[in-house]
Amino acid sequence: MTEPHRLAARPRHTIARRGGDVTAVHRLRWLLVIYLLIAAVVVAQLVRVQVVDAPGYADLSASQRARVIELAGERGRIYDRDGDVLATTVQAATIYADPRAFRPRETPDGLIVPPAADAATVAAQLAPVLARDAADIAAALTGDGHFAYLARQLDHEVGVAVRELELDGIGVIAEPKRVYPASGLAGQVVGFTGIDGEGLQGLEARYEDLLLGRPGMLTLERAPGGLDIASGTRELIPSEPGTDLVLTLDREVQHAAERAAVAVTEEHGAAGASVLVLEVGTGDVLAMASAPTFDPNRRGDTDPATWRNRAVTDVFEPGSVQKAFTIAAAIEEGLTHEDAVLRVPSSITVADKTFTDATPQPTSDWSLTEIMERSSNVGTIAVAQQLGEDRLDAYLRSFGQGSSTGTGFPGESAGLLSPVDQWWGTSLPTIAIGQGVATSLLQLANGYATLANDGVAVAPRIVRGTVGEDGRLTPAADPTERRVVSDETAQQVQRMLERVVSGDDGTGHRAAVDGYRAAGKTGTARKPSPDSRGYSGEYIATFVGFAPAEDPQLVVAVMVDDPGPVYYGGLVAAPVFSEVMGTALASRRVLPDSAGTSLEEAMAAARAARQAAEVQAAGRAADPADD
């Protein structure tokens, strides 16, 4: 049989088997392709997860475990001029919770894990330690989020007590707390910070960038239940302290000024009072007191109105205190001099208004010194008419009225002195005697410091310098100086102002200071009506002066807001000047004048005056009739 016939004779099942083998091979090939595709996808996913997207997943994992706590930098201290601390920072205990520890959680395989701690039990344990209601604490523990404050800036001992409880989900961190060791001393000047350490008031706000340190950072790792991971990352970036601030304030003088401000407010039932002490020639503010006072450590218990520094934020009509500037301008312009005699009528009419003296006088021939001594409105207006509007305005602005003093204190007022082209027919006479113009106490004090400094104005300052990490004082820039009037003019005004205190007809007898010759001017002005044009029935009593008269060292300015029933500056404000000036001169160890009193005697007199004031204040507090 030929070969083709043999092939044709092969059984059919052999051919079928070969066909089945081919089909099986195809199937295996497809399975292999599918397997390779799946493997490629898995490998690609592994590469993506472990290589390409690895940083992202690592960050996600870290964010789920990590807790970052910002650590505030220690705020710089504030000192008085002699290094006594007025504001500092201590480490306090802050108690916090991780609410995740107090709620159930679901595991990846769907199991529900109970909370790590019971909120009600933990709250009951914490309540007596934190002096908080247990229900309030429990509400914080079961809230949303990963972090909740339970109490902030507590005493260190409280933090120790909480740690000893070893409660799951509860932590204690040290947090800076601002404290004021001198309590309410210079509270309106120093100001205060918020609970997060930011300056909110006074110099704390003004020098926020300087005092504020650089914050640090604490990074912790925690499990989903809120428990710390013992082997986890714990990274600390330390904070850096802020710069210390040294003020020009003298603690003893500041205390005397505050005591006097509070006493005069209580004695005369006044709405408030301010006392300011300036050092002649340097512009240093030795005291800046306002009453009512407040303690920045417990400011939550006080009226926010007591927080403001009245000496720079409040403005008022200066009244007769203004006359020294008007007369100085006329002397400087060569229009008159201290011994020049003027015919002073009983009244003077300007535009449609007639002006008289507080105590009506017949037409008299008075020297310029007598006009100042008697505080004559008519005589001063007559001098101002010789001066004219433009020159009066220019000199008042040169003495600092109508513009800020430049201290940069928050809320400092520039006062109110209208441009000449807005003056009324009666503006010249009223402004010349301190009406229709508004100034702050600091502006008045600085103007009198210019006269006391022989006509040279020195910008006032509150900051003496700064102290950095090296512990050395970096002095503040020297204050700017400019001449306003000649030394001859200033000295004439100095002698006239001394007569206000020592002259037989002076209005400032009660401003006399034991052991020293003093000079100054009384002022009494009605307060403008808040509801309508014109004046109210309330008054501002002022006295501004300097001592020793022969070589002025200090200026003391006093303002009493709405005293009653007595409201004259010579009766209300002048005695405050005497008390504060006596203490300040003795504290600064300024030698008494040539009248024969020793420094020790002057210091004893100041102490006696201070003790008498304290006894008087205690008597008022004990007398129910004064309530």
Side-chain angles (χ1 to χ4, degrees):
M1 185 178 294
T2 63
E3 185 64 23
H5 289 90
R6 288 197 300 270
L7 290 174
R10 288 180 179 175
R12 292 181 178 272
H13 67 272
T14 301
I15 297 175
R17 186 177 66 250
R18 288 185 177 180
D21 291 342
V22 172
T23 302
V25 170
H26 284 303
R27 289 175 179 171
L28 289 174
R29 287 175 179 173
W30 278 111
L31 288 174
L32 179 60
V33 170
I34 293 171
Y35 174 79
L36 290 176
L37 289 174
I38 293 174
V41 170
V42 171
V43 171
Q45 285 290 90
L46 289 174
V47 171
R48 182 181 67 82
V49 171
Q50 297 187 2
V51 179
V52 178
D53 294 338
Y57 282 105
D59 291 343
L60 178 61
S61 174
S63 66
Q64 293 175 340
R65 301 190 318 271
R67 171 62 187 164
V68 179
I69 302 173
E70 183 176 287
L71 305 176
E74 183 172 336
R75 195 173 180 86
R77 292 183 174 185
I78 299 179
Y79 299 94
D80 79 342
R81 67 185 300 114
D82 296 319
D84 291 324
V85 178
L86 299 176
T88 188
T89 300
V90 298
Q91 290 300 312
T94 288
I95 318 301
Y96 68 92
D98 187 339
R100 292 177 297 179
F102 302 94
R103 56 178 179 249
R105 61 184 180 86
E106 184 177 357
T107 63
D109 54 3
L111 296 177
I112 302 299
V113 178
D118 179 67
T121 302
V122 172
Q125 292 178 277
L126 286 175
V129 181
L130 303 183
R132 285 191 61 187
D133 184 72
D136 293 339
I137 297 176
L141 297 180
T142 55
D144 297 330
H146 298 167
F147 183 87
Y149 283 116
L150 300 182
R152 297 187 65 182
Q153 299 182 358
L154 304 178
D155 291 341
H156 174 72
E157 292 74 16
V158 177
V160 172
V162 171
R163 283 195 180 97
E164 290 177 349
L165 294 175
E166 297 181 349
L167 300 172
D168 289 338
I170 303 299
V172 182
I173 56 175
E175 185 179 26
K177 178 183 179 181
R178 199 64 164 172
V179 297
Y180 303 89
S183 298
L185 190 71
Q188 289 100 340
V189 179
V190 174
F192 53 81
T193 65
I195 195 168
D196 291 316
E198 74 281 14
L200 298 180
Q201 193 81 8
L203 296 180
E204 291 274 31
R206 168 67 178 83
Y207 292 97
E208 171 74 2
D209 293 340
L210 188 68
L211 293 166
L212 189 65
R214 197 188 71 161
M217 188 177 298
L218 175 63
T219 304
L220 305 171
E221 284 193 355
R222 291 203 174 111
L227 302 179
D228 289 347
I229 300 175
S231 60
T233 301
R234 187 180 181 90
E235 182 179 354
L236 174 65
I237 301 176
S239 59
E240 295 181 3
T243 301
D244 296 337
L245 200 64
V246 181
L247 307 186
T248 60
L249 298 181
D250 182 300
R251 187 187 182 102
E252 184 173 351
V253 179
Q254 177 71 25
H255 181 67
E258 290 189 6
R259 183 181 60 245
V262 171
V264 74
T265 300
E266 294 176 349
E267 179 179 358
H268 294 279
S274 294
V275 179
L276 196 145
V277 183
L278 273 180
E279 187 173 58
V280 176
T282 67
D284 285 359
V285 177
L286 301 182
M288 185 179 279
S290 296
T293 61
F294 81 104
D295 183 351
N297 293 304
R298 287 179 286 275
R299 64 182 180 276
D301 302 328
T302 60
D303 182 353
T306 65
W307 301 348
R308 75 179 189 272
N309 185 358
R310 291 171 176 262
V312 298
T313 61
D314 291 13
V315 296
F316 52 91
E317 293 191 354
S320 294
V321 172
Q322 182 89 324
K323 293 171 183 175
F325 305 132
T326 300
I327 290 176
I331 294 174
E332 183 69 10
E333 287 297 304
L335 302 174
T336 186
H337 58 83
E338 60 185 311
D339 297 322
V341 177
L342 288 80
R343 173 61 58 91
V344 181
S346 59
S347 65
I348 186 170
T349 301
V350 180
D352 58 349
K353 183 174 178 59
T354 298
F355 297 85
T356 61
D357 288 345
T359 301
Q361 302 284 347
T363 299
S364 305
D365 292 330
W366 287 339
S367 69
L368 192 62
T369 297
E370 289 177 304
I371 289 174
M372 180 80 83
E373 180 182 345
R374 295 171 180 268
S375 194
S376 171
N377 293 331
V378 176
T380 305
I381 291 172
V383 172
Q385 287 179 321
Q386 298 180 49
L387 191 61
E389 293 180 346
D390 290 331
R391 288 190 290 187
L392 177 60
D393 175 78
Y395 275 99
L396 292 180
R397 294 186 187 280
S398 188
F399 275 109
Q401 296 187 12
S403 60
S404 170
T405 64
T407 63
F409 195 92
E412 179 178 358
S413 175
L416 177 62
L417 179 59
S418 300
V420 174
D421 59 9
Q422 296 179 15
W423 285 20
W424 297 77
T426 57
S427 293
L428 174 67
T430 55
I431 291 175
I433 60 175
Q435 299 173 6
V437 59
T439 68
S440 69
L441 191 63
L442 179 58
Q443 288 175 315
L444 283 182
N446 197 46
Y448 270 68
T450 299
L451 293 172
N453 195 39
D454 291 341
V456 176
V458 179
R461 64 176 187 173
I462 304 176
V463 176
R464 189 181 183 192
T466 59
V467 177
E469 293 186 23
D470 59 0
R472 295 186 178 184
L473 175 67
T474 301
D478 292 335
T480 58
E481 297 184 6
R482 56 185 175 81
R483 180 163 290 281
V484 177
V485 295
S486 67
D487 54 357
E488 181 181 353
T489 294
Q491 289 163 13
Q492 288 189 56
V493 178
Q494 291 171 20
R495 290 190 289 269
M496 286 189 280
L497 291 173
E498 185 179 0
R499 292 291 300 172
V500 173
V501 177
S502 62
D504 294 338
D505 297 312
T507 59
H509 291 162
R510 289 175 174 79
V513 182
D514 287 342
Y516 301 89
R517 288 161 47 201
K521 187 70 188 73
T522 57
T524 306
R526 293 176 65 183
K527 296 177 64 174
S529 172
D531 303 320
S532 60
R533 292 189 60 181
Y535 290 90
S536 68
E538 300 175 351
Y539 289 82
I540 295 288
T542 56
F543 189 94
V544 186
F546 46 85
E550 72 279 9
D551 183 20
Q553 299 294 310
L554 302 177
V555 167
V556 172
V558 181
M559 182 278 290
V560 184
D561 182 3
D562 189 24
V566 177
Y567 52 79
Y568 291 107
L571 299 177
V572 176
V576 178
F577 168 90
S578 174
E579 178 188 344
V580 174
M581 180 62 85
T583 301
L585 289 171
S587 175
R588 303 300 296 168
R589 305 193 70 81
V590 176
L591 291 174
D593 60 30
S594 56
T597 303
S598 67
L599 178 60
E600 289 71 20
E601 290 172 327
M603 294 177 70
R607 285 194 297 270
R610 182 166 63 249
Q611 292 168 357
E614 290 172 350
V615 170
Q616 185 179 12
R620 288 193 302 270
D623 186 356
D626 289 337
D627 292 340

